[in-house]
Amino acid sequence: MIHFLTPIHGSAPWPSIQRSYIYVYTHPYKLHCTLSNVPEDIDLTGYNVIDSCNQEEANGNTVVERLNHYENVEKLIRYAVSSDEIEDDDYVCIIDSDCFPINNFDPSVIGDNILTIDRSKELTGHNPPKFNYIFLCMKKSVMKEHFDTSWTDRAAVKFQASLPLEKLRTLDRTESIVRGKSIMFGVYGDLIYHHGCGSRVPFHWQEDGPNRTEEKISKNMSLSEQIMAKLNYMMI
């Protein structure tokens, strides 16, 4: 069994897209999520909501958004390590809401190792790989071994730093579209797709300013579909 842990932010349409791809390419699975500033009419069919909150955030304030994201990742990790529903030999996958498998995904092939996507070289050209919460998959037993439930401050950051590099296994980028210095849409290992800024203000698009609009979201989706078409994948 694989358990997907997804922090969902805002009103973007990604939960239904993510759910569709997971349904096709992963079995058996369960979906768990936290909600942050999510409207009541969003389609969360199939998701086990473990926490929901709405708070005022400064428009375009990426510091607030990033901290909020890590806080929700921490809630998901704490749920996973303490849940009786998740067995020690089950795989747990922390995954962004705009990220999903686009090919058959069987995590058992990594054994007791930890699988993540490698964005370090493509962003800086020289940094070593690191554990990335965009997509991070491991056994629950491995998560329990390295997460200290007594941590009270920045627990998700501490957990990320505590993971052993000798267990690191990465999926390298195989296709992408780049805007400026940042990767907006990427495919990793021909297995995992990540949209990039799918559910928040694309703050590194300097020409766009701080306001996210439906036109910009539509533009994002159009560029995204170019990758999918090039790789012969279809939006399900």
Side-chain angles (χ1 to χ4, degrees), residues 13-226:
W14 293 106
S16 59
I17 297 173
Q18 181 186 72
R19 181 178 64 241
S20 296
Y21 275 91
I22 289 174
Y23 174 79
V24 170
Y25 292 117
T26 307
H27 296 286
Y29 69 88
K30 290 186 178 179
L31 306 172
H32 313 273
C33 71
T34 56
L35 305 180
S36 178
N37 296 335
V38 171
E40 292 183 359
D41 61 350
I42 194 169
D43 181 7
L44 294 170
T45 304
Y47 285 87
N48 169 31
V49 179
I50 68 166
D51 187 82
S52 178
C53 68
N54 287 288
Q55 62 185 36
E56 294 295 326
E57 293 182 352
N59 190 27
N61 188 333
T62 59
V63 174
V64 171
E65 290 176 347
R66 282 182 171 181
L67 287 175
N68 179 263
H69 182 80
Y70 270 87
E71 289 168 359
N72 280 288
V73 168
E74 177 185 339
K75 292 174 184 176
L76 289 162
I77 295 171
R78 289 189 185 278
Y79 170 78
V81 299
S82 64
S83 174
D84 293 334
E85 179 186 357
I86 303 176
E87 302 288 340
D88 281 355
D89 284 339
D90 286 349
Y91 284 86
V92 178
C93 183
I94 302 168
I95 188 169
D96 276 7
S97 61
D98 57 356
C99 183
F100 43 83
I102 53 174
N103 220 323
N104 292 325
F105 177 44
D106 177 9
S108 67
V109 298
I110 66 173
D112 290 328
N113 293 307
I114 304 169
L115 185 65
T116 191
I117 64 172
D118 183 9
R119 304 186 80 222
S120 54
K121 295 177 183 177
E122 62 195 28
L123 293 175
T124 66
H126 62 275
N127 279 359
K130 64 179 183 179
F131 299 100
N132 198 314
Y133 279 139
I134 292 173
F135 174 82
L136 187 63
C137 184
M138 69 195 78
K139 279 185 178 180
K140 176 182 175 176
S141 58
V142 176
M143 180 174 280
K144 286 172 60 179
E145 180 183 355
H146 297 285
F147 184 80
D148 187 341
T149 56
S150 68
W151 286 332
T152 58
D153 180 57
R154 297 173 63 82
V157 176
K158 291 176 181 177
F159 174 65
Q160 202 172 19
S162 75
L163 295 172
L165 287 175
E166 62 268 20
K167 287 183 175 288
L168 175 65
R169 301 293 183 270
T170 60
L171 296 171
D172 294 332
R173 177 181 58 84
T174 49
E175 188 61 68
S176 69
I177 289 178
V178 179
R179 289 291 300 271
K181 295 182 179 180
S182 297
I183 292 167
M184 295 305 302
F185 321 106
V187 174
Y188 299 85
D190 289 329
L191 177 64
I192 299 297
Y193 173 81
H194 178 232
H195 190 77
C197 294
S199 57
R200 61 177 170 81
V201 177
F203 63 92
H204 51 264
W205 288 16
Q206 298 297 328
E207 71 275 18
D208 280 348
N211 296 318
R212 183 180 64 192
T213 66
E214 293 303 318
E215 180 181 357
K216 291 168 189 170
I217 292 175
S218 177
K219 186 176 182 180
N220 272 10
M221 291 297 292
S222 176
L223 288 171
S224 170
E225 287 167 0
Q226 290 179 33

